[in-house]
Amino acid sequence: MGDEAGLDRCEPGDSGKALLERALRRENMVMAWKRVKANGGSAGADGLSIADTVEHLKTHWPPIREALLSGTYWPTPVRRVMIPKSDGTERELGIPTVTDRLIQQALLQVLQPLIDPTFSDHSYGFRPGRRAHDAVRRAQGYLQAGRGIVVDVDLEKFFDRVHHDVLMDRLEKRISDPAVLKLIRRYLRAGVMMNGVVQQRHEGTPQGGPLSPLLANVLLDEVDRELERRGHCFVRYADDCNVYVRSQRAGERVMAGLRKLYGTLKLTINDAKSAVAIAVTRKFLGFSFYTTAGMVKRRVSPKALQAYKARIRQLTRRSGGRSIEQVVERLRTYVLGWKGYFQLSQTPSVFRDLDGWLRHRLRALHLKQWKRGSTMFAALRRLGASPSDALAVASNARCWWKNSRMHLNRALPLTYFDRLGVPRLA
């Protein structure tokens, strides 16, 4: 960001002791801007894009910084966006302005190194050097050790229900700078812009701001520490917490205790999504587990597989007038991202089946695009198919799905899709 936004003209004092001053130092702000720019995202309630904000801050950053230091800065209300979920419900996101995302990111870069080391070792979500894969492996280890019952806890609309006073009380125990605490409370109370009207909020820390994950971990660390004190084996990723025990009765006791613990934080367990159950029947972060030859293995959960197939069907639908190259280009982004996450699975045969199914869909898409038998015959011959295979396919021109097997497999083999750039899962 640097000179183009005027940040170099706004050095704080030399002491560097106050957290807010440290956050507003030029080097920290430049780093924060690079992260905000890399993350992208849409404009907030002020309508300013990332490019627009660069121009805006060239003249407006000095007074904004002065307002931050004097305690007179008020964040802009977040823009409300509803994101569909796979179960048919919606998740609310609150999109701050780019300027507020920049300020939050600068605060995060100062606060996280101070606060994160104090969190429980059982917490994995939104923490430097920790990934969802680490949480899944730890859960697998508990199952392998004979803890086959899981207390699977999901909190009811967690990010929307965070109680501001409770959260600020926990923050005050970790942050000594009153200016930072005041600013965070104002971010919590900034309100939500919906249809041009600002709605005030007295609870919740809307997903979408850089600070929200850290604030969530601050609040939930209290439950982590109590579970540790009681000697439980558990894994938490954001608001998903799984406690592993050896019996159903023990699980019921843990669930009752968790209800009380979360109650002290004014949070509620979602009964529809939570359960005390045999661990291999539940999913965790998109994975589930199975046992073979006495070993606990990881696999893609049935729900995650359904979501993958639904997305692939959407991307390869046989309408829309897109070329096969355009379809493959969109497929690559999704498939490679999905593979990068689910390659932790220990079921290579499932990936091979998914690869075959995807190529089957692409062969059917080819047939739909070629439409007529004469076009199919000519196209297949150009691709090197034998006259008999090309004729067999062209003779059943309208049976796209059934016809995309057998003869077409030889005409459009795996190497053909490799040349197109279709990624393989296995």
Side-chain angles (χ1 to χ4, degrees):
M1 191 174 181
D3 295 345
E4 64 182 354
L7 293 182
D8 59 322
R9 299 190 298 273
C10 305
E11 292 286 355
D14 294 330
S15 66
K17 294 180 181 179
L19 288 176
L20 186 56
E21 286 190 343
R22 287 171 55 189
L24 296 177
R25 280 180 173 173
R26 179 180 180 272
E27 57 269 26
N28 190 61
M29 294 301 300
V30 169
M31 188 186 306
W33 176 255
K34 289 179 179 178
R35 179 59 60 87
V36 168
K37 187 177 179 180
N39 289 341
S42 57
D46 63 357
L48 297 180
S49 66
I50 290 177
D52 296 332
T53 301
V54 170
E55 296 303 315
H56 176 78
L57 291 180
K58 284 181 178 180
T59 55
H60 290 80
W61 176 246
I64 290 173
R65 179 186 169 276
E66 181 58 35
L68 286 164
L69 289 173
S70 65
T72 59
Y73 180 81
W74 284 91
T76 303
V78 298
R79 181 170 65 87
R80 184 182 188 230
V81 177
M82 302 305 294
I83 305 297
K85 296 172 65 175
S86 58
D87 59 4
T89 60
E90 292 182 315
R91 174 185 290 111
E92 178 181 335
L93 291 184
I95 309 299
T97 65
V98 178
T99 297
D100 281 322
R101 297 208 293 271
L102 172 64
I103 296 168
Q104 286 194 37
Q105 180 64 36
L107 285 172
L108 177 67
Q109 291 169 183
V110 169
L111 295 177
Q112 193 161 51
L114 297 176
I115 297 176
D116 187 84
T118 69
F119 290 149
S120 166
D121 183 55
H122 295 79
S123 168
Y124 289 87
F126 310 112
R127 298 186 61 190
R130 289 174 168 245
R131 302 189 303 158
H133 286 180
D134 301 323
V136 172
R137 287 192 180 95
R138 188 161 190 175
Q140 181 184 13
Y142 289 141
L143 267 66
Q144 188 64 56
R147 298 179 178 275
I149 302 295
V150 63
V151 183
D152 185 353
V153 175
D154 182 271
L155 295 177
E156 184 80 39
K157 296 183 178 180
F158 169 69
F159 283 94
D160 298 333
R161 300 283 175 83
V162 170
H163 193 281
H164 292 174
D165 290 339
V166 174
L167 173 57
M168 292 306 302
D169 176 72
R170 274 55 178 183
L171 277 174
E172 287 169 4
K173 297 174 181 177
R174 297 172 183 263
I175 299 174
S176 59
D177 189 331
V180 169
L181 292 168
K182 181 179 180 179
L183 182 57
I184 291 175
R185 183 177 279 278
R186 285 186 176 179
Y187 272 116
L188 293 174
R189 300 290 294 275
V192 180
M193 178 76 75
M194 293 187 295
N195 301 319
V197 178
V198 177
Q199 294 188 358
Q200 297 300 319
R201 299 192 70 152
H202 302 286
E203 63 178 6
T205 170
Q207 291 175 271
L211 271 177
S212 291
L214 178 66
L215 299 181
N217 278 331
V218 166
L219 188 63
L220 295 175
D221 187 63
E222 186 168 315
V223 176
D224 296 344
R225 294 305 184 183
E226 183 59 25
L227 288 173
E228 286 180 344
R229 190 185 68 80
R230 299 180 185 183
H232 289 303
C233 296
F234 69 99
V235 184
R236 182 176 65 79
Y237 193 94
D239 57 326
D240 290 330
C241 183
N242 280 9
V243 185
Y244 295 89
V245 296
R246 298 183 184 276
S247 70
Q248 185 75 19
R249 180 175 293 182
E252 298 292 350
R253 287 197 301 268
V254 171
M255 179 66 85
L258 284 171
R259 289 186 190 280
K260 294 179 181 178
L261 286 173
Y262 287 121
T264 63
L265 301 178
K266 300 189 183 299
L267 297 171
T268 304
I269 290 177
N270 185 336
D271 290 324
K273 295 184 177 180
S274 303
V276 178
I278 298 173
V280 294
T281 66
R282 305 291 291 184
K283 65 180 179 66
F284 182 51
L285 302 177
F287 292 89
S288 58
F289 303 98
Y290 70 103
T291 302
T292 178
M295 296 296 295
V296 176
K297 300 285 188 178
R298 304 177 295 269
R299 63 182 174 187
V300 183
S301 73
K303 186 175 180 180
L305 282 176
Q306 291 171 8
Y308 174 82
K309 287 193 168 185
R311 181 60 175 152
I312 294 298
R313 289 189 183 99
Q314 183 184 46
L315 292 172
T316 60
R317 63 187 185 278
R318 294 189 290 275
S319 62
R322 295 161 298 147
S323 68
I324 194 70
E325 290 79 13
Q326 290 172 323
V327 171
V328 169
E329 184 178 353
R330 295 182 65 190
L331 273 174
R332 279 186 60 80
T333 300
Y334 177 72
V335 172
L336 288 175
W338 194 89
K339 177 182 179 180
Y341 183 73
F342 285 106
Q343 63 185 354
L344 191 68
S345 170
Q346 295 171 295
T347 52
S349 62
V350 172
F351 281 8
R352 287 194 293 270
D353 290 344
L354 289 175
D355 278 342
W357 174 76
L358 172 56
R359 290 192 292 270
H360 188 176
R361 289 195 62 83
L362 291 174
R363 291 186 183 104
L365 178 60
H366 262 310
L367 295 181
K368 172 68 185 298
Q369 292 177 340
W370 288 332
K371 295 183 180 178
R372 294 184 296 274
S374 59
T375 305
M376 291 180 188
F377 183 85
L380 288 171
R381 289 291 290 137
R382 284 196 300 271
L383 290 170
S386 68
S388 59
D389 281 347
L391 182 61
V393 172
S395 299
N396 295 282
R398 302 298 295 178
C399 301
W400 298 313
W401 184 251
K402 182 178 180 181
N403 203 14
S404 59
R405 299 182 185 275
M406 300 177 297
H407 304 287
L408 197 58
N409 283 7
R410 291 196 293 269
L412 301 178
L414 190 153
T415 52
Y416 168 75
F417 293 104
D418 286 344
R419 290 196 300 273
L420 275 179
V422 179
R424 297 194 203 182
L425 295 177

